[in-house]
């Protein structure tokens, strides 16, 4: 990560806490210090581990920044202090950490990017479970959803990634010896998150993810050094598909080969011929493509006139180790036309193993559509045609002359005409013309009286020879025209297949960056290119469009936002933030920003950064260009490429329109909230305001002499009205924060005994009864948000509970298939809610029955409670209470902790 002018990022990647990432990072720091490098610990978490503290003690540490959030004190990395100190290397632990709200950046990896842009090298740590793309996988393994994640691309862009590996049994021993967690947490951790199966699965994820990164390095190295030989670092099995009936057999056979090796890849490829050979039905290939994807493989389609060469080029391009092909369906006599694809691939495969798989359709012949002529004139047929056209007439003359007697002119004329037609059928128009001309001369010299001279005495013989030449050339022209039309039809079929793919993408409504990348990858494969990029011109304040001339000569380090200090005449480039080339422009002679090209999406190594650097460029819109590197395309290929360019531009525009629509929906939701807020202000807030106003006016009046009891009652009314106002306004503000996405959960491990009693501070002591087990697993939640959610739900339950029937709060561990949760039930004995209204009660500004006598709120309490609960990673649902009433059920994620059989105790709320 970083630019040529920025710092570099090194990451220590581990499979689980405790494998030694921080220890390895500190060891690297001491090695660099020994070499004279300026290293500081910008933020290192020692987790109270003695050996880690010993290594940290010898390093210069930047003091942390203290932050207060919801009354609690937190420490964060002091980004400004690190930038001011400006070391050569900064140690920043826990890359996926979420900063306390109010920090400059929401995530620590964003702090790291700023350090890199400032030219500071960073060494950091992260666990595999914190990678964004693996969140669902890790949750399925461990039952714990990781709230703190880092985008995969941030880690992939690191200059170096070091895997810190440890055997699961060794890690569990470290845990048991107290080298990871404090003794009171060891048993719980060993029985939950650190189970051997969990650790083994996480270790495999880390190894495979790192192996993929190594593959990227390897492919880039091979491309840069022009290495074509296969390096068998990982088994990659390529299965060649023709679309024939044997395809399913080949796919399953290749899948079994791939399954024998861990980490093997299955790739299916179909070569679309552009030389006129008949192709399979699209439905057959579609079914085979689905089968490949169902078996965990990937499907690819490439264009190539020479099927064996195209297949081997693809296999070498993906560094394949094995190729699986089916036995030929050709008849025995058809082998005189050539050895076939399988034999050619096996002969020219080099160090790639080739499997020829038998099937029930061997030698069954290739199915053809009724009436379809043999089409396509390959190199072998062209050579054969010239041999027949040039060598056939002399040979036929020798045969005729070797016979007894003189055959006359009629028989040789018909035989030479047949030979000319054969040359046309095999080689096309030019061999047939050669056969007609050579044959006419031989007929004239050897068979037309007088023989052995080119003089023709009989006019009928002259007419016969002229008709012979005309018929031969006409037949050759017709055959050649048919072959050309067949080639055009085959190319049109290939183009139709590709355009059908594009149309399918439109109908499926694909959008987003992933779809654009997939489409660019399809472009690269279809046209056999090395890389493809969608470039966008970002104009400066006074620039009306893309630059017409060459890039300016100025140079400067940009910040990726369109600024640079260089001087130039046209659009240039600045160094971008985050490791790629930025989209900044150089400054022109007149001091006006001229803009520059930025990469909207790209695939393949070394994509073009501007149109002038591409081998092929196609306009995709007013400010968009599709740029490809690898080879120069023929003109006939550009028609389909234009369709690809238009589709990529449409996908980019659709993505942006979707983002605008999402913003519009948020604005519409905000308008709805504001409208409801005005209604609430005009209705629900007037009552407490009116009561406060009346009480204050009465107390200020000189016409009435109030007793102490009366004054106390009026003051109590003022206090009650003010509390109601404070509660209502708090809920309104909380709902506004939820709707605008301004609520950021700060998760930490807490005990429910700390949260629930604090949420009952404003509830009468006799209105609630707690039933909590003596020992519950710790929950990983935002304490403030959960406390507010519980308070709102309890207040609602107390409001509807009949007198003398206290609300019961009960908590129990809940064993689920994906792990352990804690379930907190708030149980009341009120009238309950019908099944169809259970979701409605969580909507903003909704009160069941809309009865003002049931309460004084604006219908936001439960909506805020559900929003806060979901922000902490939990859920809030409504259920019927057995025997009558309503139960609100919180399901909360647990931190590693014990889950013993509960022993109930009753406790009054802490006041």
């Amino acid at each position: 990560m970083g630019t040529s002018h920025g710092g570099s990022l090194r990451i220590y990647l581990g499979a689980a806490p405790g494998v030694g990432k921080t220890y390895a990072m500190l060891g690297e720091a001491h090695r660099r210090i020994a070499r004279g490098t300026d290293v500081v610990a910008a933020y290192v978490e020692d987790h109270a581990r003695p050996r880690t503290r010993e290594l940290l003690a010898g390093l210069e540490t930047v003091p942390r920044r203290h932050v207060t959030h919801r009354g609690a004190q937190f420490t964060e990395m002091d980004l400004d202090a690190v930038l001011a100190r400006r070391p050569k290397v900064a140690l920043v632990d826990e890359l996926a950490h979420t900063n306390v709200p109010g920090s400059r950046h929401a995530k620590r990896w964003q702090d790291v990017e700023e350090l890199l842009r400032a030219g500071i090298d960073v060494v950091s740590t992260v666990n595999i479970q914190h990678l964004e793309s693996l969140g669902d996988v890790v949750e399925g393994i461990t039952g714990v959803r990781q709230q703190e994640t880092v985008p995969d691309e941030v880690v992939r862009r690191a200059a170096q990634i070091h895997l810190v590996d440890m055997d699961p049994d060794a890690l569990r021993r470290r845990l048991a010896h107290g080298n990871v967690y404090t003794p009171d947490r060891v048993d719980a951790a060993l029985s939950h998150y650190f189970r051997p199966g969990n650790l083994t699965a996480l270790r495999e994820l880390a190894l495979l993810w790192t192996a993929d990164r190594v593959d990227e390095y390897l492919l880039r190295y091979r491309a840069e050094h022009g290495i074509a030989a296969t390096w068998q670092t990982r088994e990659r099995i390529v299965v060649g598909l023709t679309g024939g009936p044997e395809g399913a057999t080949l796919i399953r056979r290749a899948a079994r080969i791939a399954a024998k090796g861990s980490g093997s890849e299955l790739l299916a490829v179909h070569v679309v011929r552009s030389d006129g050979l008949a192709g399979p039905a699209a439905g057959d290939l579609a079914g085979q493509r689905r089968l490949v994807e169902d078996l965990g493989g990937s499907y690819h389609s490439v264009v190539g006139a020479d099927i064996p060469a195209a297949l081997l080029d693809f296999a070498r391009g993906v560094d394949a180790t094995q190729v699986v092909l089916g036995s030929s369906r050709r008849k025995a006599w058809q082998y005189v036309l050539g050895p076939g694809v399988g034999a050619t691939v096996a002969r020219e495969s080099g160090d790639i193993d080739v499997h020829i798989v038998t099937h029930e359709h061997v030698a069954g012949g290739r199915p053809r559509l009724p009436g379809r002529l043999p089409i396509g004139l390959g190199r072998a047929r062209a050579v054969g045609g010239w041999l027949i056209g040039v060598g056939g007439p002399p040979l036929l003359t020798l045969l005729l002359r070797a016979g007894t007697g003189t055959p006359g002119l009629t028989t040789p004329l018909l035989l030479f005409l047949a030979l000319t037609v054969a040359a046309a059928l095999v080689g096309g128009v030019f061999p047939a013309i050669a056969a007609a001309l050579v044959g006419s001369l031989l007929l004239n010299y050897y068979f037309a009286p007088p023989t052995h001279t080119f003089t023709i005495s009989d006019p009928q013989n002259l007419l016969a020879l002229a008709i012979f030449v005309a018929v031969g050339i006409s037949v050759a022209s017709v055959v050649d025209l048919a072959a050309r039309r067949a080639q055009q039809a085959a190319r049109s079929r290939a183009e139709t297949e590709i355009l059908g793919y594009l149309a399918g993408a439109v109908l499926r409504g694909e959008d987003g960056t992933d779809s654009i990348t997939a489409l660019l990858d399809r472009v690269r494969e279809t046209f056999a290119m090395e890389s493809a990029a969608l470039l966008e011109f970002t104009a400066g304040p006074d620039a009306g469009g893309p630059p017409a001339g060459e890039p300016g000569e100025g140079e400067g380090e940009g910040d990726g936002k369109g600024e640079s200090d260089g001087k130039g005449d046209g659009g240039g480039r600045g160094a971008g933030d985050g490791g790629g080339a930025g989209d900044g422009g150089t400054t022109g002679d007149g001091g006006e920003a001229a803009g520059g090209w930025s990469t909207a999406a790209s695939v393949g190594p070394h994509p073009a950064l501007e149109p002038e650097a591409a081998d092929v460029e196609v306009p995709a819109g007013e400010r968009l260009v599709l740029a490809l590197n690898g080879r120069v395309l023929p003109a006939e290929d550009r028609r389909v490429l234009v369709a690809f360019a238009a589709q990529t531009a449409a996908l980019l525009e659709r993505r942006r329109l979707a983002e605008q629509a999402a913003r519009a929906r948020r604005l519409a939701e905000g308008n709805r909230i504001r409208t409801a807020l005005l209604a609430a202000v005009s209705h629900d807030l007037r009552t407490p305001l009116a009561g406060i106003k009346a009480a204050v006016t009465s107390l200020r009046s000189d016409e009435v002499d109030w007793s102490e009891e009366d004054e106390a009652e009026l003051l109590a009314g003022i206090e009650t009205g003010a509390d109601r106002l404070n509660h209502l306004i708090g809920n309104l503000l909380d709902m506004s924060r939820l709707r605008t996405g301004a609520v950021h959960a700060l998760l930490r491990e807490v005990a429910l005994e700390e949260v629930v009693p604090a949420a009952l501070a404003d509830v009468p002591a006799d209105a609630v009864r707690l039933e909590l087990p003596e020992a519950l697993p710790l929950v990983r939640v935002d304490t403030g948000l959960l406390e507010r959610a519980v308070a709102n739900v309890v207040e609602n339950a107390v409001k509807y509970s009949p007198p003398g029937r206290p609300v019961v709060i009960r908590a129990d561990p809940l064993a689920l298939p994906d792990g352990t949760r804690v379930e907190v039930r708030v149980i009341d004995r009120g009238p309950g809610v019908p099944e169809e209204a259970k979701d409605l009660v969580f909507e903003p500004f909704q009160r069941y029955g809309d009865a003002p006598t049931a309460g004084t709120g604006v219908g936001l309490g439960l909506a805020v409670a559900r929003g806060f609960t979901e922000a902490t990673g939990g859920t809030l649902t409504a259920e019927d209470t057995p025997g009558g009433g309503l139960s609100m059920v919180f399901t909360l994620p647990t931190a590693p902790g014990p889950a013993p059989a509960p022993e109930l105790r009753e406790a009054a709320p802490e006041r």
Side-chain angles (χ1 to χ4, degrees):
M1 174 183 277
T3 67
S4 58
H5 300 286
S8 65
L9 175 64
R10 171 180 291 197
I11 292 178
Y12 285 91
L13 175 69
V19 295
K21 301 179 303 299
T22 304
Y23 192 85
M25 178 181 69
L26 294 175
E28 172 66 19
H30 282 283
R31 288 191 293 274
R32 295 198 182 197
I33 291 174
R35 296 195 298 265
T37 306
D38 181 19
V39 180
V40 302
Y43 186 97
V44 177
E45 186 61 64
D46 59 31
H47 298 288
R49 296 166 188 166
R51 298 185 64 187
T52 304
R53 285 182 171 177
E54 291 176 4
L55 284 179
L56 185 59
L59 298 176
E60 177 186 348
T61 302
V62 177
R64 298 183 183 182
R65 180 171 57 93
H66 293 271
V67 183
T68 302
H69 180 65
R70 297 198 188 106
Q73 286 285 335
F74 300 93
T75 61
E76 293 287 1
M77 180 177 70
D78 194 335
L79 181 59
D80 291 326
V82 179
L83 291 171
R85 170 62 177 76
R86 200 172 182 81
K88 173 60 179 174
V89 179
L91 308 181
V92 182
D93 210 358
E94 298 181 351
L95 186 63
H97 171 75
T98 300
N99 292 332
V100 175
S103 302
R104 184 186 309 177
H105 300 122
K107 293 285 190 176
R108 183 166 293 162
W109 63 264
Q110 295 170 317
D111 295 337
V112 167
E113 288 193 327
E114 185 167 345
L115 294 176
L116 295 172
R117 289 194 296 271
I120 300 173
D121 294 344
V122 176
V123 183
S124 188
T125 64
V126 71
N127 279 330
I128 193 67
Q129 67 263 28
H130 293 297
L131 294 182
E132 199 169 72
S133 66
L134 299 178
D136 294 339
V137 179
V138 173
E139 184 179 14
I141 294 171
T142 65
V144 177
R145 180 68 179 187
Q146 297 295 331
Q147 301 297 323
E148 294 184 329
T149 60
V150 58
D152 290 46
E153 186 60 26
V154 173
V155 181
R156 287 184 181 275
R157 290 201 305 263
Q160 298 181 57
I161 298 177
H162 294 264
L163 177 64
V164 183
D165 188 31
M166 179 173 286
D167 181 79
D169 291 335
L171 179 56
R172 285 173 57 85
R173 285 195 298 271
R174 287 196 65 193
L175 202 68
H177 295 158
N179 295 329
V180 179
Y181 290 147
T182 54
D184 60 313
R185 298 179 57 190
V186 169
D187 291 339
L190 288 173
S191 60
H192 290 86
Y193 193 89
F194 288 82
R195 292 194 299 268
N198 288 1
L199 295 178
T200 302
L202 291 173
R203 187 188 189 200
E204 183 177 12
L205 278 180
L207 291 169
L208 290 177
W209 194 94
T210 309
D212 288 338
R213 176 59 191 267
V214 174
D215 280 342
E216 294 175 10
Y217 279 129
L218 182 60
L219 291 176
R220 188 181 305 121
Y221 178 85
R222 284 162 51 85
E224 290 173 351
H225 292 77
I227 299 173
T230 301
W231 289 2
Q232 300 185 5
T233 55
R234 178 190 294 196
E235 290 293 338
R236 290 184 178 86
I237 294 87
V238 171
V239 54
L241 299 179
T242 64
E246 76 281 1
T249 301
L250 300 184
I251 293 169
R252 293 189 176 94
R253 180 69 177 119
R256 290 196 296 271
I257 295 174
K260 292 179 180 179
S262 179
S264 299
E265 295 182 21
L266 172 63
L267 303 94
V269 60
H270 171 64
V271 180
V272 179
R273 289 286 299 264
S274 60
D275 61 356
L277 291 181
D284 296 336
L285 277 177
Q288 293 175 12
R289 178 175 186 166
R290 287 192 297 270
L291 178 59
V292 170
E293 293 172 348
D294 290 343
L295 293 175
S298 58
Y299 177 88
H300 307 267
S301 178
V302 299
V303 174
D306 187 340
I307 290 181
L311 183 61
L312 287 174
D313 286 344
F314 175 83
R316 294 189 180 102
V318 298
D319 204 19
T321 57
Q322 302 181 57
V323 172
V324 176
L325 300 173
S327 296
S328 178
R329 287 184 276 114
R330 295 194 300 174
K331 299 289 188 180
W333 64 267
Q334 291 177 310
Y335 283 95
V336 300
L337 302 177
V341 173
T344 305
V345 170
R347 184 181 67 246
E348 301 178 0
S349 63
D351 51 3
I352 301 177
D353 296 335
V354 178
H355 300 265
I356 304 297
V357 179
T358 187
H359 50 85
E360 59 181 340
H361 305 283
V362 174
R366 296 177 180 174
R368 292 188 179 273
L369 296 179
R372 175 169 291 183
L373 294 173
I375 54 178
L377 305 178
R379 181 179 301 175
R381 293 186 59 180
V383 172
W386 280 106
L387 289 176
I388 296 174
V390 177
L395 182 60
L396 180 59
T397 301
L398 290 175
L399 293 174
L400 291 173
R401 296 286 294 176
T404 58
T406 301
L409 182 61
T410 303
T411 301
L413 189 67
L414 294 176
L415 292 175
F416 273 91
L417 181 60
L419 187 66
T420 301
V421 172
L425 291 174
V426 175
V429 61
F430 294 108
I433 292 174
L437 295 177
V438 173
S440 64
L441 293 175
L442 293 175
L443 283 169
N444 182 13
Y445 189 82
Y446 288 105
F447 301 102
T451 59
H452 300 96
T453 178
F454 289 105
T455 302
I456 301 177
S457 60
D458 189 350
Q460 291 184 354
N461 291 340
L462 179 63
L463 179 62
L465 289 175
I467 293 175
F468 163 73
V469 173
V471 170
I473 294 176
S474 299
V475 170
S477 299
V478 171
V479 172
D480 183 71
L481 179 62
R484 291 180 183 275
R485 291 291 183 265
Q487 290 176 351
Q488 294 173 1
R491 173 169 285 277
S492 298
R493 182 191 59 79
E495 292 178 356
T496 301
E497 180 183 344
I498 294 170
L499 294 175
Y501 168 80
L502 295 177
V506 173
L507 293 175
R508 290 189 298 270
E510 296 179 352
D511 53 15
T513 304
D514 291 342
S515 296
I516 296 176
T517 303
L519 189 61
L520 290 178
D521 202 50
R522 181 65 184 263
V523 172
R524 185 173 63 88
E525 290 181 355
T526 300
F527 297 99
M529 305 300 283
E530 292 181 0
S531 64
L534 182 63
L535 305 179
E536 182 176 17
F537 184 79
T538 306
D542 299 325
E550 294 297 323
E553 297 176 355
E555 295 181 355
E557 181 184 350
D559 61 356
K561 299 180 181 178
E563 297 177 357
S564 179
D565 296 331
K567 297 288 184 180
D569 298 327
R573 298 191 58 80
D577 54 359
D583 54 3
T586 61
T587 304
D589 291 336
E592 303 294 345
W597 291 98
S598 62
T599 303
S602 66
V603 294
H606 309 298
L609 301 179
E610 54 188 16
E612 292 80 4
D615 293 326
V616 181
E617 56 172 303
V618 176
E622 182 180 355
R623 295 178 180 271
L624 293 171
V625 170
L626 181 60
L628 287 75
N629 274 338
R631 63 188 179 94
V632 178
L633 287 180
E636 59 267 21
D637 284 339
R638 291 178 177 265
R639 180 173 56 183
V640 177
L641 190 58
V642 168
F644 270 109
Q647 178 65 4
T648 52
L651 285 177
L652 182 63
E653 182 66 19
R654 186 182 303 158
R655 184 187 72 185
R656 291 175 176 173
L657 289 175
E659 293 172 352
Q660 294 176 5
R663 288 195 294 269
R665 285 194 296 270
R666 288 194 295 268
L667 290 175
E669 182 67 17
N671 289 333
R672 189 178 75 85
I673 294 293
R674 282 191 289 272
T675 302
L677 176 60
L678 291 174
V681 170
S682 63
H683 179 267
D684 295 274
L685 302 185
R686 295 173 98 182
T687 301
L689 283 174
I692 293 173
K693 175 67 175 177
V696 171
T697 301
S698 299
L699 288 172
R700 288 171 56 88
S701 175
D702 297 332
E703 300 177 359
V704 180
D705 187 13
W706 300 101
S707 65
E708 292 184 0
E709 291 79 4
D710 293 335
E711 288 183 357
E713 184 177 351
L714 291 172
L715 291 173
I718 293 174
E719 183 178 10
T720 301
D723 290 340
R724 287 173 56 189
L725 279 177
N726 180 63
H727 182 71
L728 293 175
I729 292 173
N731 276 338
L732 290 171
L733 292 176
D734 288 338
M735 181 52 60
S736 298
R737 292 168 57 209
L738 285 170
R739 293 298 181 179
T740 57
V743 175
H744 300 286
L746 186 62
L747 304 180
R748 63 189 185 96
E749 300 172 6
V750 297
L752 282 175
E753 291 87 344
E754 302 176 15
V755 181
V756 176
L760 308 179
D762 297 327
V763 179
D766 58 350
V768 179
R769 186 174 77 247
L770 290 179
E771 295 182 359
L772 301 177
E774 287 290 345
L776 279 170
L778 298 178
V779 292
R780 184 173 174 79
V781 295
D782 185 301
T783 305
L785 295 182
L786 180 61
E787 181 181 319
R788 186 65 180 274
V790 173
N792 282 2
V793 170
V794 171
E795 178 188 357
N796 184 78
V798 170
K799 184 193 321 179
Y800 285 94
S801 290
R805 302 294 297 274
V807 172
V808 177
I809 301 178
R810 179 178 300 148
D812 295 295
L814 180 66
L816 297 176
D818 61 346
T820 301
R821 301 286 190 271
V822 169
E823 190 177 78
V824 180
R825 290 179 172 268
V826 180
I827 305 169
D828 68 59
R829 293 294 179 179
V833 175
E835 190 65 33
E836 62 273 10
K838 283 187 171 61
D839 286 332
L840 185 63
V841 297
F842 294 105
E843 292 294 323
F845 302 102
Q846 296 288 336
R847 289 183 303 193
Y848 176 61
D850 199 26
T853 56
T856 57
V858 293
L860 285 177
L862 294 181
V864 170
R866 171 173 274 188
F868 282 178
T869 304
E870 292 177 348
T872 65
T875 61
L876 175 59
T877 57
E879 297 179 0
D880 291 328
T881 301
L886 186 68
S887 296
M888 292 291 181
V889 183
F890 294 87
T891 305
L892 306 174
T894 63
E903 298 178 7
L904 299 182
R905 62 179 174 85
E906 296 186 8
E910 296 182 5
R911 306 299 295 173

